[in-house]
DNA sequence: GTGAAAGCGCTAACAA
DNA sequence: TTGTTAGCGCTTTCAC
């Protein structure tokens, strides 16, 4: 910066003021400084600037992986918002328990970012408390954390609508296939189960635990087993509401391999609307991770500017059912009393 | 850090030395300092440290998007390597031409990272030159840049093997569907076409330009048109080698919708082996973006430590064909002279 | 509207 | 082995 100052014949203060766009610089001086900066290919060192301002112009995110449709889309949305605000994005990827422990022990984001977005973890009380004394805004994404700003999709309502879609088609035996990961059921997983149950109850149907089966995510074999269990039931379902599109696709795969037609003999609906849903023409409950990312980014930015605003804000994003080709009325429709069904 | 020093009854220098793990600290003092640091939840400000060391302990990546299978996997691999080295990762997402211009104009990574990884852009000479005077190692990923360190997959060889797989099944009319984006054909696109042609030529087959058709990526309609063109040919192909799995899937989709059996009447192979390939049981040429990310990260780290080593290193990663259920011998096999085919 | 000077939190010489 | 001191490159008073 000293070089630029010298070349423009001004002090470094003036260069600083010019480059930050402060209006207290005369036009001629501004022009001279800008030209000098351009000629010298000068870029301000964020580090030095942070040191004195205390702001890093950097937002950190904590994610379990980068390698998923959801995270890719969410971070793309977030990146968009951050770039528009002149903020940079640093990513902490925490794939396993060891890394997670290390992260919460050292909290490396401390002082090196203006805000932290925590994606898709089901945090313990301790971890949340640890983040509380981070002295920076923390936004929780894809999870509800009481008293802290959160952004998430309305999984319960989504599952209700997805299930209702099947009910409205006339299905009465509707199964739910959910995923169980290394850490047990995720938060979304539980919410979607709740929604599924709620829709059935609303429709006056009994909750049959045999109709709820588990599978590891992204595992054909697991899905095959789950489907096998459902087909082995005395009264098998006529429709499956899967917790995620990937599971739905695996279910469809298994059914077709077993020569059971979808949707002719069995309807299948998913949740997410990720690209694979289009390839399979899958009926699904759509959410927008990219919007989640954007909203979370904007919330973080607003918290950076006004640390006290929105401190407890929960932003709940909507879903919508996209009917496609994997759901249809059941093969032998029973004479269901339509009046008892709430509208889809 | 002053607080920690006071609490431990030492100078800040000693705290600094301790926290950086220098061995010139006596065990008792080290213990006191570490305890004090823990009690105060102290984390070193990377900014202040960078200011004096000139090293940021941060690696920047320039990516066109985060929202793709390839980038997700590649960045996950990269993140792994970086975390192990205690480096942080900042991501610049440049989705469009405007952002790209802005990036190369301002070069915001300058002085704010120890290395830059440039993913999947076909850079112009100017842009490359611009990165040259960035005063930090720049690693080019998924592209060949003469005289600069690069990491990429061997697209030509991959396409050769993919095409040979079809040749070995007995196909003689093999089409190639490639993608054309907003910026024209990508580098990989061209390489894969080259490999396709090379395999045909090796097999003594003529190159028929009618067998090479274009489609926008991820667009069912475009794929349908492309397939239509191929089927309308006087002598239609018996197999399609698609530039990417997504295109292959779209092609299969169209074929099946047209009641053309895959692989019974038409074989289809892809390139990438992304998850959707498994769902469709797609024969494909597999590459490992996660490995690409790891290798690129390691190359960058080595360049940071030894700026002069490996300056021109090109790391070319292998691919392999995964035969699955979408390829089979052609419906009416001609009596092809097997001896002329190179081994797969 | 501009400059001089102090200092942000750290590390790296140098002394002790 | 430890402490003292001088800056790293910037922003921010405070004068002018």
């Amino acid at each position: 910066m000293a070089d630029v100052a010298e070349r423009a014949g001004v002090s470094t203060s003036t260069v600083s003021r010019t480059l930050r766009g402060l209006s207290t610089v005369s036009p001629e001086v501004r022009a001279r400084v800008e030209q000098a900066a351009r000629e010298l290919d000068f870029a301000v060192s964020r580090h030095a600037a942070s040191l004195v301002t205390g702001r890093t112009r950097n937002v950190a995110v904590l994610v379990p992986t980068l390698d998923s449709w959801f995270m890719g889309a969410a971070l793309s949305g977030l990146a968009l918002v951050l770039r528009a605000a002149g903020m940079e994005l640093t990513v902490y990827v925490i794939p396993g328990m060891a890394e997670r422990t290390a992260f919460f022990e050292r909290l490396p984001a401390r002082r090196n970012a203006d805000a932290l977005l925590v994606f898709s973890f089901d945090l313990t009380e301790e971890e949340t408390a640890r983040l509380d004394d981070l002295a920076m805004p923390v936004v929780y994404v894809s999870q509800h954390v009481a008293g802290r700003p959160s952004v998430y999709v309305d999984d319960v309502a989504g599952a209700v609508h997805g299930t209702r879609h099947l009910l409205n088609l006339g299905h009465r035996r509707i199964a739910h296939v959910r995923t169980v990961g290394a850490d047990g059921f995720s938060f979304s997983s539980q919410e979607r189960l709740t929604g599924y149950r709620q829709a059935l109850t609303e429709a006056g149907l009994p909750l049959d635990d045999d109709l709820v089966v588990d599978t590891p995510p992204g595992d054909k074999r697991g899905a095959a087993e789950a489907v096998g269990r459902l087909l082995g039931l005395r009264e098998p379902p006529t429709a499956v509401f899967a917790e995620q599109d990937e599971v739905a696709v695996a279910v469809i795969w298994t059914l077709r391999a077993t020569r059971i037609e979808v949707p002719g003999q069995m309807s299948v609906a998913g949740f997410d609307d990720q690209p694979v849903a289009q390839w399979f023409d899958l009926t699904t409950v759509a959410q927008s991770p990219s919007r989640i990312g954007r909203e979370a980014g904007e919330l973080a930015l607003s918290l950076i500017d006004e640390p006290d605003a929105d401190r407890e804000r929960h932003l709940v994003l909507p879903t919508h059912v996209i009917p496609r080709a994997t759901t249809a009325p059941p093969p032998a429709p029973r004479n269901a009393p339509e009046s008892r069904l709430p509208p889809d």
Side-chain angles (χ1 to χ4, degrees), chain A residues 169-241:
Chain A
L169 286 170
H171 295 275
R172 287 298 170 271
R173 291 285 288 171
I174 300 174
H176 182 57
V177 183
R178 58 184 198 148
T179 62
V180 51
D183 310 332
F185 295 101
S186 72
F187 198 88
S188 286
S189 190
Q190 318 224 26
E191 299 281 278
R192 291 177 192 180
L193 175 63
T194 301
Y196 156 81
R197 286 192 169 139
Q198 192 172 310
L200 293 185
T201 304
E202 275 175 17
L205 293 175
L207 297 181
D208 182 347
D209 281 346
D210 288 341
L211 287 176
V212 176
V213 293
D214 302 332
T215 177
D219 178 28
K220 272 188 191 172
R221 199 152 351 160
E225 272 182 42
V227 169
R229 237 169 300 144
L230 292 174
L231 294 179
L233 254 36
R234 199 162 338 156
E235 194 180 355
T238 61
V240 174
F241 177 55

Coordinates of all heavy atoms in Angstrom, one line a residue, chain A residues 169-241:
Chain A
L169 N -54.7 -40.3 -3.6 CA -54.8 -41.2 -4.8 C -55.6 -42.5 -4.4 O -55.9 -43.3 -5.2 CB -53.4 -41.6 -5.2 CG -52.6 -40.6 -6.0 CD1 -51.1 -41.0 -6.2 CD2 -53.2 -40.3 -7.3
G170 N -55.9 -42.6 -3.1 CA -56.7 -43.7 -2.7 C -56.0 -44.8 -1.9 O -56.5 -45.8 -1.5
H171 N -54.7 -44.6 -1.7 CA -53.9 -45.6 -0.9 C -54.3 -45.5 0.6 O -54.6 -44.5 1.1 CB -52.4 -45.3 -1.0 CG -51.9 -45.5 -2.4 ND1 -51.5 -46.7 -3.0 CD2 -51.8 -44.6 -3.5 CE1 -51.2 -46.6 -4.2 NE2 -51.3 -45.3 -4.6
R172 N -54.3 -46.7 1.2 CA -54.7 -46.8 2.6 C -53.6 -47.6 3.3 O -53.4 -47.4 4.5 CB -56.0 -47.6 2.8 CG -57.2 -46.7 2.4 CD -57.3 -45.5 3.2 NE -58.3 -44.6 2.8 CZ -58.0 -43.6 1.9 NH1 -56.8 -43.5 1.4 NH2 -59.0 -42.7 1.5
R173 N -52.8 -48.4 2.6 CA -51.7 -49.1 3.3 C -50.4 -48.4 2.7 O -49.9 -48.7 1.6 CB -51.6 -50.6 2.9 CG -52.7 -51.4 3.6 CD -52.5 -51.6 5.0 NE -51.4 -52.6 5.3 CZ -50.9 -52.8 6.5 NH1 -51.4 -52.2 7.5 NH2 -49.9 -53.7 6.6
I174 N -49.9 -47.4 3.4 CA -48.7 -46.7 2.9 C -47.5 -46.9 3.9 O -47.6 -46.7 5.1 CB -49.1 -45.2 2.9 CG1 -50.3 -44.9 2.0 CG2 -47.9 -44.3 2.5 CD1 -50.8 -43.5 2.1
A175 N -46.5 -47.4 3.3 CA -45.3 -47.7 4.0 C -44.4 -46.5 4.1 O -44.5 -45.6 3.2 CB -44.5 -48.9 3.5
H176 N -43.5 -46.4 5.0 CA -42.4 -45.4 5.1 C -41.1 -46.0 5.2 O -40.9 -46.9 6.1 CB -42.7 -44.5 6.3 CG -41.7 -43.3 6.4 ND1 -41.5 -42.4 5.4 CD2 -40.9 -42.9 7.4 CE1 -40.6 -41.5 5.8 NE2 -40.2 -41.8 7.0
V177 N -40.2 -45.7 4.3 CA -38.8 -46.2 4.4 C -37.9 -45.1 4.8 O -37.8 -44.1 4.1 CB -38.3 -46.8 3.0 CG1 -36.9 -47.4 3.2 CG2 -39.3 -47.9 2.5
R178 N -37.2 -45.3 5.9 CA -36.4 -44.2 6.4 C -34.9 -44.7 6.5 O -34.7 -45.9 6.6 CB -36.9 -43.6 7.7 CG -37.0 -44.6 8.8 CD -37.6 -43.9 10.0 NE -37.4 -44.7 11.2 CZ -37.2 -44.1 12.4 NH1 -37.3 -42.8 12.5 NH2 -37.0 -44.8 13.5
T179 N -34.0 -43.7 6.6 CA -32.6 -44.0 6.6 C -32.1 -43.9 8.0 O -32.4 -43.1 8.8 CB -31.8 -43.1 5.7 OG1 -32.0 -41.8 6.3 CG2 -32.3 -43.1 4.3
V180 N -31.2 -44.9 8.3 CA -30.5 -44.8 9.6 C -29.0 -44.8 9.3 O -28.5 -45.7 8.5 CB -30.9 -46.0 10.5 CG1 -30.7 -47.3 9.7 CG2 -30.0 -46.0 11.7
G181 N -28.3 -43.8 9.7 CA -26.9 -43.6 9.4 C -26.1 -44.1 10.6 O -26.6 -44.7 11.5
A182 N -24.8 -43.7 10.5 CA -23.9 -44.2 11.6 C -24.3 -43.6 12.9 O -24.1 -44.2 13.9 CB -22.5 -43.7 11.2
D183 N -24.8 -42.4 12.9 CA -25.2 -41.7 14.1 C -26.6 -41.9 14.4 O -27.2 -41.0 15.1 CB -24.8 -40.2 14.0 CG -23.4 -40.0 13.5 OD1 -22.6 -40.9 13.7 OD2 -23.2 -38.9 12.9
G184 N -27.2 -42.9 13.9 CA -28.7 -43.1 14.2 C -29.5 -42.2 13.3 O -29.0 -41.8 12.2
F185 N -30.7 -41.9 13.6 CA -31.6 -41.2 12.8 C -31.3 -39.7 12.9 O -31.1 -39.1 14.0 CB -33.0 -41.4 13.2 CG -33.4 -42.9 12.9 CD1 -33.5 -43.8 14.0 CD2 -33.7 -43.3 11.6 CE1 -33.9 -45.1 13.8 CE2 -34.0 -44.6 11.4 CZ -34.1 -45.5 12.5
S186 N -31.3 -39.0 11.7 CA -31.0 -37.6 11.8 C -32.3 -36.9 12.2 O -33.4 -37.5 12.3 CB -30.6 -37.1 10.4 OG -31.7 -37.2 9.5
F187 N -32.1 -35.6 12.4 CA -33.2 -34.8 12.8 C -34.3 -34.8 11.7 O -35.5 -35.1 12.0 CB -32.8 -33.4 13.0 CG -33.7 -32.6 13.8 CD1 -33.7 -32.6 15.2 CD2 -34.7 -31.9 13.2 CE1 -34.6 -31.9 15.9 CE2 -35.6 -31.2 13.9 CZ -35.6 -31.2 15.3
S188 N -33.9 -34.6 10.5 CA -34.9 -34.6 9.4 C -35.6 -35.9 9.3 O -36.8 -36.0 9.1 CB -34.2 -34.4 8.0 OG -33.8 -33.1 7.9
S189 N -34.9 -37.0 9.5 CA -35.4 -38.3 9.5 C -36.6 -38.4 10.5 O -37.7 -38.9 10.1 CB -34.3 -39.3 9.9 OG -34.7 -40.6 9.7
Q190 N -36.4 -37.9 11.7 CA -37.5 -38.0 12.7 C -38.7 -37.1 12.3 O -39.8 -37.5 12.4 CB -36.9 -37.5 14.0 CG -35.5 -38.0 14.3 CD -35.4 -38.5 15.7 OE1 -36.4 -38.9 16.3 NE2 -34.2 -38.5 16.2
E191 N -38.4 -35.9 11.8 CA -39.4 -35.0 11.4 C -40.3 -35.6 10.3 O -41.5 -35.5 10.3 CB -38.8 -33.7 10.9 CG -38.0 -33.0 12.0 CD -38.9 -32.2 13.0 OE1 -39.3 -31.1 12.7 OE2 -39.1 -32.8 14.0
R192 N -39.6 -36.3 9.4 CA -40.4 -36.8 8.2 C -41.3 -38.0 8.7 O -42.4 -38.1 8.2 CB -39.4 -37.2 7.1 CG -38.8 -35.9 6.5 CD -37.8 -36.2 5.4 NE -37.1 -35.0 5.1 CZ -36.1 -34.9 4.2 NH1 -35.7 -36.0 3.4 NH2 -35.5 -33.7 3.9
L193 N -40.8 -38.7 9.6 CA -41.6 -39.8 10.1 C -42.8 -39.2 10.8 O -43.9 -39.7 10.7 CB -40.7 -40.6 11.1 CG -41.5 -41.7 11.9 CD1 -42.1 -42.8 10.9 CD2 -40.6 -42.4 12.9
T194 N -42.6 -38.2 11.6 CA -43.7 -37.5 12.3 C -44.7 -37.1 11.3 O -45.9 -37.3 11.5 CB -43.1 -36.3 13.1 OG1 -42.1 -36.8 14.0 CG2 -44.2 -35.6 13.8
G195 N -44.3 -36.4 10.2 CA -45.2 -35.9 9.2 C -46.0 -37.1 8.6 O -47.2 -37.0 8.4
Y196 N -45.3 -38.1 8.3 CA -46.0 -39.3 7.7 C -47.1 -39.8 8.7 O -48.2 -40.0 8.3 CB -44.9 -40.4 7.5 CG -45.4 -41.8 7.4 CD1 -45.9 -42.3 6.3 CD2 -45.2 -42.6 8.5 CE1 -46.4 -43.7 6.2 CE2 -45.6 -44.0 8.5 CZ -46.2 -44.5 7.3 OH -46.6 -45.8 7.3
R197 N -46.7 -39.9 9.9 CA -47.7 -40.4 10.9 C -48.9 -39.5 11.0 O -50.0 -39.9 11.1 CB -47.0 -40.6 12.2 CG -46.1 -41.8 12.3 CD -45.7 -42.1 13.7 NE -45.0 -43.4 13.8 CZ -44.0 -43.6 14.6 NH1 -43.4 -42.6 15.3 NH2 -43.4 -44.8 14.6
Q198 N -48.5 -38.2 11.0 CA -49.6 -37.2 11.2 C -50.6 -37.3 10.1 O -51.8 -37.2 10.4 CB -48.9 -35.8 11.2 CG -49.8 -34.7 11.7 CD -48.9 -33.4 11.9 OE1 -47.9 -33.4 12.5 NE2 -49.4 -32.3 11.3
A199 N -50.1 -37.4 8.9 CA -51.0 -37.5 7.8 C -51.9 -38.7 7.9 O -53.1 -38.6 7.6 CB -50.3 -37.5 6.4
L200 N -51.4 -39.8 8.3 CA -52.2 -41.0 8.4 C -53.2 -40.9 9.5 O -54.4 -41.2 9.3 CB -51.3 -42.2 8.8 CG -50.3 -42.7 7.7 CD1 -49.5 -43.9 8.1 CD2 -51.0 -42.9 6.3
T201 N -52.8 -40.3 10.6 CA -53.7 -40.1 11.7 C -54.9 -39.2 11.3 O -56.1 -39.4 11.5 CB -53.0 -39.5 12.9 OG1 -51.9 -40.4 13.2 CG2 -53.9 -39.4 14.1
E202 N -54.5 -38.1 10.6 CA -55.5 -37.1 10.1 C -56.5 -37.9 9.3 O -57.7 -37.5 9.3 CB -54.9 -36.1 9.2 CG -54.3 -34.9 10.0 CD -53.6 -34.0 9.0 OE1 -53.8 -34.1 7.8 OE2 -52.8 -33.2 9.4
A203 N -56.1 -38.8 8.5 CA -57.0 -39.5 7.6 C -57.7 -40.7 8.3 O -58.5 -41.4 7.7 CB -56.2 -40.1 6.4
G204 N -57.5 -40.7 9.6 CA -58.2 -41.7 10.3 C -57.7 -43.2 10.2 O -58.4 -44.1 10.5
L205 N -56.4 -43.3 9.7 CA -55.9 -44.6 9.5 C -55.0 -45.0 10.8 O -54.5 -44.1 11.4 CB -55.0 -44.6 8.3 CG -55.7 -44.4 7.0 CD1 -54.7 -44.3 5.8 CD2 -56.7 -45.6 6.7
P206 N -54.9 -46.2 11.0 CA -54.1 -46.7 12.2 C -52.6 -46.6 11.8 O -52.2 -46.7 10.6 CB -54.5 -48.2 12.3 CG -54.9 -48.6 10.9 CD -55.6 -47.3 10.3
L207 N -51.8 -46.5 12.8 CA -50.3 -46.5 12.6 C -49.8 -47.9 12.8 O -49.9 -48.4 13.9 CB -49.7 -45.5 13.6 CG -50.0 -44.1 13.5 CD1 -49.3 -43.2 14.5 CD2 -49.8 -43.6 12.1
D208 N -49.4 -48.5 11.7 CA -48.9 -49.8 11.7 C -47.4 -49.8 11.7 O -46.8 -49.5 10.7 CB -49.5 -50.6 10.6 CG -49.0 -52.1 10.6 OD1 -48.1 -52.4 11.3 OD2 -49.6 -52.8 9.8
D209 N -46.7 -50.2 12.8 CA -45.3 -50.1 12.9 C -44.6 -51.0 11.8 O -43.4 -50.8 11.4 CB -44.8 -50.5 14.3 CG -44.9 -49.3 15.2 OD1 -45.2 -48.2 14.7 OD2 -44.8 -49.5 16.4
D210 N -45.3 -52.0 11.4 CA -44.7 -52.9 10.4 C -44.5 -52.2 9.1 O -43.7 -52.6 8.2 CB -45.6 -54.1 10.1 CG -45.6 -55.1 11.3 OD1 -44.6 -55.0 12.1 OD2 -46.5 -55.9 11.4
L211 N -45.2 -51.1 8.9 CA -45.1 -50.4 7.6 C -43.9 -49.4 7.6 O -43.7 -48.8 6.6 CB -46.4 -49.6 7.4 CG -47.6 -50.5 6.9 CD1 -48.9 -49.7 6.8 CD2 -47.3 -51.2 5.6
V212 N -43.3 -49.3 8.8 CA -42.1 -48.4 8.8 C -40.8 -49.2 8.9 O -40.6 -49.9 9.8 CB -42.2 -47.4 10.0 CG1 -40.9 -46.6 10.1 CG2 -43.4 -46.6 10.0
V213 N -40.0 -49.1 7.8 CA -38.8 -49.9 7.8 C -37.6 -49.0 7.6 O -37.7 -47.9 7.0 CB -38.9 -51.0 6.7 CG1 -39.9 -52.1 7.0 CG2 -39.2 -50.4 5.3
D214 N -36.4 -49.5 8.0 CA -35.2 -48.7 7.9 C -34.2 -49.3 6.8 O -34.3 -50.5 6.5 CB -34.5 -48.8 9.2 CG -35.3 -48.3 10.4 OD1 -36.2 -47.5 10.1 OD2 -35.1 -48.7 11.5
T215 N -33.4 -48.4 6.4 CA -32.3 -48.9 5.4 C -31.2 -47.9 5.5 O -31.4 -46.7 5.8 CB -32.9 -48.9 4.0 OG1 -31.8 -49.2 3.1 CG2 -33.4 -47.5 3.6
P216 N -30.0 -48.4 5.3 CA -28.9 -47.4 5.2 C -29.0 -46.6 4.0 O -29.5 -47.2 3.0 CB -27.6 -48.3 5.2 CG -28.1 -49.7 5.0 CD -29.5 -49.7 5.3
P217 N -28.6 -45.3 3.9 CA -28.9 -44.5 2.7 C -27.9 -45.0 1.6 O -26.8 -45.4 1.9 CB -28.5 -43.1 3.2 CG -27.6 -43.3 4.4 CD -28.0 -44.6 5.0
G218 N -28.4 -44.8 0.4 CA -27.5 -45.1 -0.8 C -27.1 -46.5 -0.8 O -26.0 -46.8 -1.3
D219 N -27.9 -47.5 -0.3 CA -27.4 -48.9 -0.3 C -28.5 -49.7 -1.0 O -29.6 -49.9 -0.4 CB -27.2 -49.3 1.1 CG -26.8 -50.8 1.2 OD1 -26.2 -51.3 0.2 OD2 -27.0 -51.4 2.2
K220 N -28.3 -50.2 -2.1 CA -29.3 -51.0 -2.9 C -29.7 -52.2 -2.0 O -30.9 -52.6 -2.0 CB -28.7 -51.5 -4.2 CG -28.9 -50.6 -5.3 CD -28.5 -51.2 -6.6 CE -28.4 -50.2 -7.8 NZ -27.8 -50.8 -9.0
R221 N -28.7 -52.9 -1.5 CA -29.0 -54.1 -0.8 C -30.0 -53.8 0.4 O -31.0 -54.5 0.6 CB -27.8 -54.8 -0.3 CG -28.0 -56.3 0.0 CD -26.7 -57.1 -0.1 NE -25.7 -56.2 -0.8 CZ -24.4 -56.6 -0.7 NH1 -24.0 -57.6 0.0 NH2 -23.5 -55.8 -1.3
G222 N -29.6 -52.8 1.2 CA -30.5 -52.4 2.3 C -31.9 -52.2 1.9 O -32.9 -52.6 2.5
A223 N -32.0 -51.4 0.8 CA -33.3 -51.1 0.3 C -34.1 -52.4 -0.1 O -35.3 -52.5 0.1 CB -33.2 -50.2 -0.9
A224 N -33.3 -53.3 -0.7 CA -34.0 -54.6 -1.1 C -34.5 -55.3 0.1 O -35.6 -55.8 0.0 CB -32.9 -55.4 -1.9
E225 N -33.7 -55.3 1.1 CA -34.2 -56.0 2.4 C -35.5 -55.3 2.9 O -36.5 -56.0 3.2 CB -33.2 -55.9 3.5 CG -32.2 -57.0 3.5 CD -31.2 -56.8 4.6 OE1 -31.6 -56.5 5.7 OE2 -30.0 -57.0 4.4
A226 N -35.4 -54.0 2.9 CA -36.6 -53.2 3.4 C -37.8 -53.6 2.6 O -38.9 -53.8 3.2 CB -36.3 -51.7 3.4
V227 N -37.6 -53.5 1.3 CA -38.8 -53.8 0.4 C -39.3 -55.3 0.7 O -40.5 -55.5 0.7 CB -38.4 -53.6 -1.1 CG1 -39.5 -54.2 -2.0 CG2 -38.2 -52.2 -1.3
G228 N -38.3 -56.2 0.8 CA -38.7 -57.6 1.1 C -39.6 -57.7 2.3 O -40.6 -58.4 2.3
R229 N -39.2 -57.0 3.4 CA -40.0 -57.0 4.6 C -41.4 -56.5 4.3 O -42.4 -57.1 4.8 CB -39.3 -56.2 5.7 CG -38.9 -57.0 6.9 CD -38.0 -56.2 7.9 NE -36.8 -55.8 7.2 CZ -36.1 -54.7 7.3 NH1 -36.6 -53.7 8.1 NH2 -35.0 -54.5 6.7
L230 N -41.5 -55.5 3.6 CA -42.8 -54.9 3.3 C -43.7 -55.9 2.5 O -44.9 -56.1 2.7 CB -42.7 -53.6 2.6 CG -42.1 -52.4 3.4 CD1 -41.9 -51.2 2.5 CD2 -43.0 -52.1 4.6
L231 N -43.0 -56.5 1.5 CA -43.8 -57.4 0.6 C -44.2 -58.7 1.3 O -45.2 -59.3 1.0 CB -42.9 -57.7 -0.6 CG -42.7 -56.6 -1.6 CD1 -41.8 -57.0 -2.7 CD2 -44.0 -55.9 -2.1
G232 N -43.4 -59.0 2.4 CA -43.7 -60.2 3.2 C -44.9 -60.0 4.1 O -45.3 -61.0 4.8
L233 N -45.3 -58.8 4.3 CA -46.4 -58.5 5.3 C -47.7 -59.2 4.9 O -47.9 -59.4 3.7 CB -46.6 -57.0 5.3 CG -46.1 -56.2 6.5 CD1 -44.8 -56.8 7.0 CD2 -46.0 -54.8 6.2
R234 N -48.5 -59.6 5.9 CA -49.7 -60.2 5.6 C -50.6 -59.3 4.6 O -51.1 -59.7 3.7 CB -50.5 -60.5 6.9 CG -51.6 -61.6 6.6 CD -52.0 -62.1 8.0 NE -50.9 -61.9 9.0 CZ -51.2 -61.8 10.3 NH1 -52.4 -62.0 10.7 NH2 -50.2 -61.7 11.2
E235 N -50.6 -58.0 5.0 CA -51.3 -57.1 4.2 C -50.2 -56.0 3.7 O -50.0 -55.0 4.3 CB -52.4 -56.4 4.9 CG -53.3 -55.6 4.1 CD -54.4 -55.0 4.9 OE1 -54.5 -55.2 6.1 OE2 -55.2 -54.2 4.3
P236 N -49.6 -56.3 2.5 CA -48.5 -55.4 2.1 C -49.1 -54.1 1.7 O -50.3 -53.9 1.4 CB -48.0 -56.1 0.8 CG -48.7 -57.5 0.8 CD -49.9 -57.4 1.5
P237 N -48.2 -53.1 1.7 CA -48.6 -51.7 1.3 C -48.9 -51.6 -0.2 O -48.4 -52.4 -1.0 CB -47.4 -50.8 1.7 CG -46.2 -51.8 1.6 CD -46.8 -53.1 2.0
T238 N -49.6 -50.6 -0.6 CA -49.8 -50.3 -2.0 C -49.0 -49.1 -2.4 O -48.9 -48.7 -3.6 CB -51.3 -50.0 -2.3 OG1 -51.7 -48.9 -1.6 CG2 -52.1 -51.2 -1.9
A239 N -48.4 -48.5 -1.4 CA -47.5 -47.3 -1.7 C -46.4 -47.2 -0.7 O -46.6 -47.6 0.4 CB -48.4 -46.0 -1.7
V240 N -45.3 -46.6 -1.1 CA -44.2 -46.3 -0.3 C -43.9 -44.8 -0.3 O -43.7 -44.2 -1.4 CB -42.9 -47.1 -0.7 CG1 -41.7 -46.7 0.1 CG2 -43.2 -48.6 -0.7
F241 N -43.8 -44.3 0.9 CA -43.3 -42.9 1.0 C -41.9 -43.0 1.6 O -41.7 -43.4 2.7 CB -44.2 -42.1 1.9 CG -43.7 -40.7 2.1 CD1 -43.5 -39.8 1.0 CD2 -43.4 -40.2 3.4 CE1 -43.0 -38.5 1.2 CE2 -43.0 -38.9 3.6 CZ -42.7 -38.1 2.5

